[in-house]
Amino acid sequence: MSILGTLFGSDDGSTNALVMDEPRPTSFLDGAQDVIGKPINRVEGPLKVAGRAPYAAEYPAERLVHGVLVRAAFGAGKITKVDDTAARALPGVIDVITDYDTFIRSPGQGGATDAPPQGVQDVQYFGEPVAVVVGETFEAARDGAAAVRLEHEAKDANFVFAAHKDQGKEPKKDQIPGHSKQGNFSKAFNEAPIQLDVTYTTPSQNSTAMEPHASIAEWRDDTLVLHGAYQMIASDQQQLAKALGVSADKVRIIARYVGGGFGSKLGIAPESVAAAVAAKKLGRPVKIVLARQQVYEATIRRSNTEQRIRLGTDADGRIDALSHNSLVANTPYEQYWEPVGVGTHFIYGGENREINHDLVPMNLTAAGSMRAPGEAVGMMGLECAMDELAEKLGLDPIELRRRNEPAQEPEKQIPFSSRQMIPALEQGAHLFGWSQRKRAGTDRRGEWLHGMGVAAAVRSNQLMKSAAKVTLTTDGRAIIDTDMTDIGTGTYTILAQIAAETLGLPVEKVVVHLGDGKAPASSGSGGSWGAGSAGSSVYLACEGIREKLAKSMGASVDEMTLKDGRAIAQNRAVPITELIDDNLSVTGQIEPGKQEKKFHQASYGAHFCAVKVNVVTGEVRVERMLGVFSAGRILNEKTARSQCLGGMTFGIGAALHEELVHDERNGKVVNRDMAEYHVPVNADVPQLEVHFLSERDIHANPIHAKGIGELGISGAAAAVANAIYNATGVRVRDFPITCDKIIEQLPFDA
């Protein structure tokens, strides 16, 4: 017993859990340490730039062998024979492993706990992995895979989207309704004084993360340890266990550093199961790293879409009828579908509404989540349609949005937890010089036509169940343990800042351990919920530690201040190490609750873009781009800005470059590498400017932060497209907006 009170140690083993049923108006993040929100450098940055941060394919293992996937060179059919004679005869080839029933044909979806679709004998798309060749060296395995010959019976298949659009069907009931309606859209639209009826199309896209999908599988006794490039470890372990037919406690995934994912690594991919099966059979660790071409063919793509948007307004531009109907390419065996209209549900008002999705079955690479699924492509259509409507009404596009700002969520009729879309548009207009925008097609300077465009940005916010353990050590450090991942978003840094602020420690006194499946299960990285969910669990663990420190000091939590490693209360300042007699651990756990039902939660923003278009070639150059965003508490200004810059760059790519091209004869991805699939490079991206609006969302979580990782892409492509229209007077409704699509509409004497 201390003269200060009861001392606590690690054997306490307590949990501080919160179900988000009530708002949390106060937070210890508004504390004295003054590190939260600051643009501090990434704590793991030195490891990465020095090449000492190990990624999935870089872990050492004794007696390691290499695997290369064998993939189907046809679009649909049943494999009747695998001829591996030539492959087995090659020097260095160890085995050719075919496991039709266990191997998975495409990646799992984010958060799913069942095995991804299995059974690869019936091939559903070109490039589907069906076997794996294992060699002593990568070269031996590669040559062996190339030598395997497959025989098959061909089957009927759908490879051409346009030819099968009439086969679209309503998706099965899901978290997001496939079809929804309110009021009487048809009547309201037909009677509307102003009508707009336009169709936009978006192509297949690929996440193209810098790090390819990779796994190293090793069985230690009867437990699989897999170093993999994955974003959501807790659910991925369950997917992998189900696929292999073992209990979940026999699978441990480790992903301490992930070189980007953008949704493509939310679920396990084919290489993980193949490596695990091969390692089990051979009794040796097996490494499989997908080549870039395999990433494009055998992981996931963003669905291509066709979006018909109809808007009916009164003479002043107030929307009374809103329809957003989408055809979405979908792989028949997958449950995932792109929720194109998810942002349309709440971005604008209007009494009469319909938002429908119909799925068109295609034998193409499986559809899956890609950065901002739904909003990223849905707002390309909707925000361009709003620009067209503003032009038709003779209104400034910002004024049109202002007139259609809903007072509450227009379908569920519940309040917004916070909403600053119009302030973002207004501040952006001021900063960007929007008042200098000219009438479409009138600002010509030599061979170049100049223009400005704007688009709103919205992204739904979610809180997911998440846990983390924080240990306060007797030498004054805080150690965080959670299976949360850092996919380049800055997770290591923001979790360190949360713990440092809440416990009154310098950031360098916080140690963050991420990406190990044996640690407490987190939300994982995806859906822009990682910071709010995993961050809240770390905050709650630290909150629990604060309570114990206050009790040990004989003070109340509210009257105690923690700063620079000291507890200050009742005119005393005591080093926190003197308040514990052993390491003190608390596990924090957060779960969604009634707040997400009582309040609609989303992040908001606005994109502004200036372009110039060459009247001779149709070339588009983005000259300036500015974004203003509102996403609750900004946990680290530098990492948050980086996320927005990345999203805006994504938007430039979606508007001007990115398109997966499928061979209409067999569904093969034609442009299956980074030389032919065009993502923006330095020359395409100007200096981008990002601003944040001050905000705290007390209904979202105890740290008052909302998702930002996907907000930056939502609406960005539409701002580019709208700027092109303002420059040229040419409206291209088929993305990406390439030179040929502009040139064919420019007047001959332009």
Side-chain angles (χ1 to χ4, degrees):
M1 190 75 174
S2 164
I3 58 171
L4 297 173
T6 304
L7 296 180
F8 292 91
S10 60
D11 60 344
D12 185 71
S14 61
T15 298
N16 187 25
L18 173 68
V19 178
M20 199 64 192
D21 285 335
E22 299 294 334
R24 290 285 297 251
T26 61
S27 171
F28 290 118
L29 293 186
D30 298 309
Q33 194 62 33
D34 196 31
V35 296
I36 205 68
K38 294 296 186 290
I40 68 172
N41 293 333
R42 296 171 186 262
V43 297
E44 85 287 6
L47 289 177
K48 289 181 174 177
V49 298
R52 294 188 290 117
Y55 289 83
E58 298 179 322
Y59 286 88
E62 294 183 2
R63 302 177 65 238
L64 178 72
V65 293
H66 301 263
V68 171
L69 298 177
V70 177
R71 295 170 301 123
F74 54 92
K78 183 175 182 178
I79 296 174
T80 57
K81 182 180 179 181
V82 177
D83 184 353
D84 59 10
T85 306
R88 291 182 179 277
L90 292 174
V93 171
I94 299 171
D95 203 353
V96 179
I97 299 171
T98 302
D99 192 327
Y100 286 145
D101 295 329
T102 303
F103 283 5
I104 62 175
R105 56 168 54 120
S106 62
Q109 299 297 338
T113 55
D114 291 330
Q118 293 177 274
V120 297
Q121 187 170 14
D122 288 310
V123 172
Q124 299 288 332
Y125 63 93
F126 193 104
E128 180 179 310
V130 298
V132 61
V133 176
V134 183
E136 292 288 354
T137 64
F138 165 75
E139 291 77 10
R142 177 198 61 197
D143 294 346
V148 174
R149 296 291 177 264
L150 303 178
E151 297 179 11
H152 74 282
E153 295 175 353
K155 292 186 176 182
D156 292 337
N158 295 352
F159 301 127
V160 183
F161 181 74
H164 300 281
K165 291 194 296 183
D166 60 343
Q167 298 177 12
K169 294 182 179 180
E170 181 180 355
K172 295 179 180 178
K173 301 300 181 185
D174 201 86
Q175 182 178 5
I176 302 171
H179 284 197
S180 69
K181 65 179 181 178
Q182 175 179 300
N184 189 333
F185 167 78
S186 296
K187 182 176 184 295
F189 182 75
N190 291 333
E191 295 176 357
I194 306 297
Q195 300 174 353
L196 181 77
D197 186 344
V198 291
T199 298
Y200 280 82
T201 59
T202 65
S204 296
Q205 299 172 349
N206 186 274
S207 297
T208 316
M210 185 179 295
E211 179 195 24
H213 291 64
S215 290
I216 298 176
E218 180 179 6
W219 291 87
R220 300 174 185 172
D221 297 325
D222 60 347
T223 297
L224 171 66
V225 177
L226 185 128
H227 290 87
Y230 292 121
Q231 298 178 225
M232 302 182 71
I233 289 179
S235 56
D236 290 345
Q237 288 184 156
Q238 296 180 65
Q239 291 181 20
L240 187 53
K242 293 279 183 65
L244 297 172
V246 300
S247 59
D249 62 351
K250 298 298 183 182
V251 174
R252 176 185 173 192
I253 294 177
I254 299 173
R256 300 200 187 281
Y257 302 96
V258 181
F262 311 116
S264 70
K265 298 171 183 174
L266 290 176
I268 62 169
E271 100 291 332
S272 64
V273 174
V277 170
K280 185 76 168 179
K281 181 178 181 182
L282 300 176
R284 297 176 66 176
V286 174
K287 176 197 290 190
I288 300 179
V289 180
L290 298 191
R292 184 63 62 180
Q293 293 84 354
Q294 295 173 326
V295 170
Y296 279 90
E297 286 187 342
T299 59
I300 59 112
R301 65 183 176 94
R302 192 197 292 282
S303 304
N304 56 293
T305 75
E306 180 179 288
Q307 306 172 39
R308 183 185 182 191
I309 299 166
R310 288 171 288 173
L311 302 171
T313 78
D314 62 18
D316 294 326
R318 290 179 175 82
I319 297 172
D320 185 46
L322 184 156
S323 172
H324 193 166
N325 291 338
S326 303
L327 291 174
V328 182
N330 178 256
T331 311
Y333 57 83
E334 284 284 6
Q335 295 300 310
Y336 176 84
W337 52 277
E338 184 87 20
V340 179
V342 64
T344 311
H345 286 284
F346 63 89
I347 185 171
Y348 301 118
E351 294 294 324
N352 303 282
R353 315 161 68 86
E354 64 174 29
I355 302 169
N356 299 328
H357 304 77
D358 289 293
L359 310 185
V360 179
M362 302 296 297
N363 290 92
L364 303 176
T365 303
S369 297
M370 182 171 160
R371 192 175 195 172
E375 290 100 335
V377 290
M379 294 189 70
M380 289 167 73
L382 179 63
E383 287 300 284
C384 285
M386 287 292 286
D387 202 66
E388 293 199 56
L389 181 61
E391 186 81 5
K392 193 168 188 175
L393 287 159
L395 283 176
D396 182 280
I398 296 175
E399 177 58 27
L400 175 64
R401 289 166 172 83
R402 186 183 290 112
R403 293 183 185 187
N404 288 285
E405 172 75 355
Q408 61 180 352
E409 203 280 343
E411 296 177 11
K412 297 178 182 177
Q413 302 292 307
I414 57 176
F416 295 108
S417 63
S418 65
R419 180 176 170 118
Q420 295 199 79
M421 192 178 88
I422 299 303
L425 285 161
E426 292 173 342
Q427 179 169 326
H430 171 71
L431 294 169
F432 196 69
W434 182 251
S435 61
Q436 300 173 26
R437 177 176 177 263
K438 294 180 172 59
R439 185 167 53 86
T442 63
D443 188 1
R444 178 167 178 170
R445 308 171 201 173
E447 287 188 355
W448 296 92
L449 292 164
H450 293 252
M452 296 183 185
V454 66
V458 300
R459 172 64 186 175
S460 301
N461 183 69
Q462 292 178 273
L463 177 65
M464 307 296 285
K465 184 176 180 179
S466 198
K469 183 176 75 171
V470 177
T471 301
L472 181 62
T473 67
T474 54
D475 61 359
R477 294 176 300 138
I479 301 173
I480 300 171
D481 286 287
T482 174
D483 76 357
M484 181 63 181
T485 51
D486 191 325
I487 60 174
T489 47
T491 306
Y492 277 102
T493 309
I494 62 168
L495 296 188
Q497 286 177 273
I498 290 169
E501 188 67 70
T502 313
L503 296 178
L505 296 172
V507 171
E508 54 270 21
K509 285 286 190 178
V510 181
V511 179
V512 183
H513 296 154
L514 300 181
D516 192 331
K518 70 177 183 180
S522 73
S523 62
S525 296
S528 295
W529 59 58
S533 303
S536 289
S537 65
V538 170
Y539 172 81
L540 290 170
C542 294
E543 188 181 68
I545 290 174
R546 282 185 73 109
E547 292 174 357
K548 295 180 183 299
L549 293 176
K551 185 176 181 181
S552 183
M553 196 173 183
S556 70
V557 172
D558 292 336
E559 68 179 324
M560 181 184 70
T561 298
L562 297 181
K563 182 175 173 58
D564 297 331
R566 297 182 304 163
I568 305 167
Q570 300 171 346
N571 295 319
R572 293 177 295 152
V574 181
I576 59 175
T577 53
E578 295 183 11
L579 300 176
I580 57 176
D581 58 5
D582 197 357
N583 293 346
L584 172 61
S585 295
V586 176
T587 297
Q589 181 172 302
I590 187 75
E591 292 186 47
K594 296 176 182 177
Q595 287 296 289
E596 69 176 17
K597 296 180 174 62
K598 291 181 177 180
F599 295 88
H600 184 269
Q601 299 179 18
S603 301
Y604 297 90
H607 294 281
F608 291 81
C609 181
V611 303
K612 61 180 182 180
V613 182
N614 190 282
V615 297
V616 178
T617 65
E619 175 190 355
V620 177
R621 293 187 184 176
V622 178
E623 294 192 293
R624 290 188 296 137
M625 203 163 179
L626 178 145
V628 179
F629 304 103
S630 172
R633 185 194 299 273
I634 301 301
L635 299 170
N636 180 308
E637 187 180 340
K638 182 177 291 187
T639 59
R641 176 170 283 106
S642 178
Q643 286 297 291
C644 294
L645 294 175
M648 293 162 73
T649 302
F650 248 74
I652 294 172
L656 302 178
H657 307 292
E658 296 193 43
E659 178 181 18
L660 276 184
V661 179
H662 302 278
D663 190 323
E664 294 187 352
R665 298 168 298 177
N666 54 21
K668 177 182 179 180
V669 177
V670 176
N671 53 338
R672 58 194 188 124
D673 57 39
M674 294 178 72
E676 297 296 332
Y677 181 82
H678 295 157
V679 297
V681 296
N682 286 352
D684 301 309
V685 183
Q687 288 296 312
L688 307 179
E689 195 173 334
V690 172
H691 299 269
F692 298 114
L693 299 181
S694 178
E695 183 179 75
R696 302 285 187 270
D697 193 329
I698 65 173
H699 305 285
N701 49 56
I703 62 175
H704 305 162
K706 293 193 290 190
I708 201 169
E710 292 163 299
L711 179 63
I713 187 178
S714 301
V720 178
N722 292 338
I724 292 171
Y725 172 77
N726 180 246
T728 63
V730 171
R731 178 66 67 177
V732 179
R733 300 190 182 98
D734 177 36
F735 288 96
I737 304 175
T738 48
C739 301
D740 56 308
K741 297 172 186 176
I742 296 173
I743 281 290
E744 67 184 13
Q745 297 186 57
L746 279 175
F748 181 73
D749 60 350

